[in-house]
Amino acid sequence: MSGQRSNQGASRRSCDRCGAAVLRQEVGHRAALKVTADAAPMLLAEALAMVEPNRLAWCLVRLRSGGVELRWRCRNRQPCSHSVVIEHRCPAEAAQWGRRPEGAMW
């Protein structure tokens, strides 16, 4: 086993801080990371432009059960066929308020 897959797929929920739709999953077995990624898939080039040392892009793999699973981004020489998501960052407005204000649309 490659150590890339978790036992369960990603769970879809809202960010506690800003309310955005996110995917949460523990990725890996030995050195598992608790990942919170934006739920909306994006183009690989777009995601790679947003990557930082503490913000990674993840492959979003559709499971036969209908769910999704986050995996370490494929490093093949040829591009993989998976959708890509980026690790979630709350908008600046959320940092200003500390959490989503009551009735906020963001």
Side-chain angles (χ1 to χ4, degrees):
M1 183 163 288
S2 64
Q4 294 188 62
R5 298 180 184 162
S6 70
N7 293 331
Q8 299 177 4
S11 63
R12 188 178 181 96
R13 50 181 78 172
S14 295
C15 175
D16 296 334
R17 189 171 180 194
C18 70
V22 296
L23 299 170
R24 289 196 181 152
Q25 179 185 330
E26 194 168 297
V27 178
H29 290 292
R30 291 185 182 99
L33 297 174
K34 290 185 180 181
V35 177
T36 301
D38 290 336
M42 58 180 41
L43 298 172
L44 177 60
E46 219 179 305
L48 292 179
M50 298 170 74
V51 168
E52 300 171 358
N54 292 315
R55 188 178 196 192
L56 305 175
W58 299 90
C59 280
L60 183 64
V61 179
R62 301 261 173 224
L63 302 173
R64 290 183 187 174
S65 65
V68 293
E69 180 178 70
L70 299 173
R71 294 187 188 166
W72 300 106
R73 207 173 70 67
C74 297
R75 300 269 184 208
N76 301 337
R77 291 178 188 225
Q78 297 178 2
C80 70
S81 61
H82 301 129
S83 298
V84 179
V85 292
I86 189 79
E87 203 158 337
H88 177 68
R89 290 286 190 270
C90 293
E93 296 87 12
Q96 176 185 358
W97 297 100
R99 64 181 181 90
R100 182 173 55 157
E102 185 69 34
M105 299 300 290
W106 46 268

